[in-house]
Amino acid sequence: MEKIATSTKTLYISPLGLENSETAPRHIIEARQLTPEVVEPLFERAVDFKGKVARREPLDVQLNTYDPIISFFEEPSTRTRFSFEIAADRLGFRTITTEAGKVFSSRLKGESAEDTAMNIGGYQPAAIVARTSHTGDALRFASSLDCPLINGGDGKGEHPTQALLDVFTIREELGRLDGLKVVMGGDLANGRTVRSLAQILAHYEGLELTLVSPAELHMGDDVKKILEDQGVQIHETENVKDAVAWGDVVYWTRLQAERINGDSQEETMRLKKAMVDRQRDFSIGSDVMSAMRRGAILLHPLPRVEPGFVDKDGDELYPEILPEVDDDPRAAYFRQSENGVYTRMALLEYILNPIYGPEGKYPPQPI
Ligand code: NCD
């Protein structure tokens, strides 16, 4: 178990965190916490929840739902926030939410992540789900909390629970996680989902990864090093069709136009324009799908850009997956999105399970 000393507290970051500490909260901050030993039981529970919800059966959960869950989102979110809140609701928790935390909370007045966390943590929530706009802020939030913090995406950093539902979907759709050929394409420099997903998949035998993006949007060397140290074979290409024809899983992502950052404002605008101009080369339509293997699947964390969308700078963005692909049975992104609810139910149940909760806070209950 690795200890990270922060300004206020010592955090224990290890697989679901805290085996050596019965009193520390079980934060979920980085994908490397989600090893196969941790995620396999979660997946089984998620399958169970999915079946029960489909049949509208009682869920059979034993949780102390006295305290509410806070969801604090500083950036736009549709899937992560709603699926967490629906998951919490299905487990019997009330949720207190702010959807635009950077605008409607005191963060806009210059309050630090630590102070914000110290205050809302003081209201005794069962857990906080936070999406923060700066990389590393999830850790800063957690450092001030006595309850679990779940990272719902921190800047260009990580998005571990998206990766959890992505891996669950691959397992459900393909029936295996070993020996996978995975293609990741789009904005691999600024997107956080691919950074987390690659790290969870790297725990499984024989992962081969093909990364498809323009050089400016290559995946960060920090993640590539982690993957290579685990023996993952990584290929990089700009040839979408060849990559798609090779993969078992094709994981496509949006140009994170709002995150592109150069050394100056002019450089940022120049880089963004250049990337917008190249979008068509990295788009998946029916022609690319015709190259895809029969048993393969196409995933996307969503949102994708709709045709004709013009952003705040007046740039028209090109869709990374065209709607004409949606009826293809290999297009699994909406099934993937639904799985966010069941995997997040399993995760919430696990981190709030009374036998692991901070001493005294979650009284022992029969499991
Ligand atoms: C992603 C995110 O916010 O990182 N969406 C999500 O959580 N499902 C992807 C994105 O914004 O492009």
Side-chain angles (χ1 to χ4, degrees):
M1 174 152 61
E2 184 179 342
K3 276 189 190 179
I4 298 178
T6 67
S7 53
T8 42
K9 289 191 169 62
T10 298
L11 297 181
Y12 294 88
I13 306 293
S14 75
L16 262 195
L18 313 156
E19 293 86 330
N20 296 343
S21 167
E22 279 173 18
T23 54
R26 317 186 93 202
H27 305 296
I28 303 294
I29 293 169
E30 299 173 348
R32 71 190 161 104
Q33 297 175 263
L34 300 174
T35 61
E37 299 71 49
V38 171
V39 299
E40 278 305 322
L42 295 181
F43 289 161
E44 277 166 37
R45 188 57 162 147
V47 169
D48 178 45
F49 280 144
K50 188 170 183 172
K52 288 195 164 101
V53 170
R55 296 186 295 272
R56 299 295 186 268
E57 282 173 6
L59 294 176
D60 186 26
V61 287
Q62 311 254 7
L63 287 166
N64 183 345
T65 55
Y66 184 90
D67 297 324
I69 288 177
I70 290 179
S71 78
F72 183 91
F73 278 65
E74 292 182 349
E75 283 186 348
S77 172
T78 300
R79 280 145 290 272
T80 306
R81 191 169 70 89
F82 276 111
S83 63
F84 257 120
E85 291 182 13
I86 289 173
D89 186 87
R90 288 203 183 280
L91 293 174
F93 290 98
R94 283 153 300 126
T95 305
I96 312 295
T97 185
T98 179
E99 178 188 6
K102 201 82 190 191
V103 183
F104 294 123
S105 81
S106 292
R107 292 280 277 150
L108 186 67
K109 302 178 186 171
E111 186 167 65
S112 69
E114 288 84 356
D115 284 5
T116 300
M118 190 76 88
N119 282 278
I120 57 178
Y123 305 145
Q124 307 298 321
I128 298 176
V129 182
R131 168 166 291 185
T132 50
S133 41
H134 290 112
T135 310
D137 268 5
L139 197 58
R140 292 178 64 200
F141 259 76
S143 72
S144 298
L145 290 175
D146 290 320
C147 72
L149 186 280
I150 303 175
N151 178 6
D154 65 322
K156 296 182 188 180
E158 289 232 23
H159 197 345
T161 66
Q162 176 68 42
L164 186 70
L165 77 94
D166 295 340
V167 179
F168 177 82
T169 305
I170 296 169
R171 180 185 186 267
E172 181 182 58
E173 297 275 332
L174 299 184
R176 69 189 166 96
L177 292 170
D178 287 327
L180 287 180
K181 291 189 166 96
V182 177
V183 182
M184 293 183 177
D187 187 348
L188 308 179
N190 301 300
R192 52 199 170 200
T193 63
V194 284
R195 294 169 56 82
S196 294
L197 175 58
Q199 291 184 67
I200 300 190
L201 289 176
H203 290 298
Y204 293 88
E205 274 311 302
L207 172 70
E208 260 191 86
L209 212 52
T210 294
L211 306 176
V212 191
S213 68
E216 294 86 342
L217 302 179
H218 274 181
M219 184 177 272
D221 288 337
D222 55 341
V223 175
K224 277 195 277 192
K225 173 148 189 355
I226 294 171
L227 301 175
E228 276 162 358
D229 286 350
Q230 297 200 53
V232 178
Q233 275 194 52
I234 303 178
H235 321 280
E236 282 182 322
T237 178
E238 292 198 10
N239 190 321
V240 175
K241 256 195 173 158
D242 281 0
V244 164
W246 169 88
D248 304 307
V249 176
V250 177
Y251 190 95
W252 226 238
T253 63
R254 177 178 72 87
L255 174 67
Q256 309 263 309
E258 73 281 15
R259 293 193 203 284
I260 292 178
N261 215 342
D263 290 337
S264 63
Q265 208 175 341
E266 291 74 49
E267 177 59 13
T268 300
M269 292 316 282
R270 192 201 61 74
L271 191 57
K272 186 193 159 195
K273 264 246 156 346
M275 294 304 97
V276 169
D277 288 347
R278 294 221 54 201
Q279 279 190 299
R280 277 172 196 267
D281 302 338
F282 295 90
S283 175
I284 296 186
S286 306
D287 57 328
V288 173
M289 285 305 275
S290 64
M292 193 173 178
R293 305 225 309 244
R294 201 141 47 96
I297 51 167
L298 175 62
L299 300 179
H300 190 305
L302 302 176
R304 66 173 159 176
V305 168
E306 71 169 334
F309 176 71
V310 177
D311 75 3
K312 63 173 181 11
D313 302 325
D315 291 318
E316 180 166 340
L317 306 183
Y318 194 77
E320 64 277 23
I321 296 180
L322 293 166
E324 67 195 27
V325 167
D326 294 357
D327 290 338
D328 189 308
R330 296 168 297 179
Y333 28 87
F334 295 118
R335 302 194 288 276
Q336 174 188 2
S337 164
E338 185 190 336
N339 285 334
V341 173
Y342 315 115
T343 47
R344 287 171 171 136
M345 286 170 77
L347 187 72
L348 282 172
E349 181 190 50
Y350 194 38
I351 65 170
L352 298 175
N353 187 310
I355 59 166
Y356 295 109
E359 215 173 283
K361 183 148 187 187
Y362 307 111
Q365 293 176 2
I367 298 300

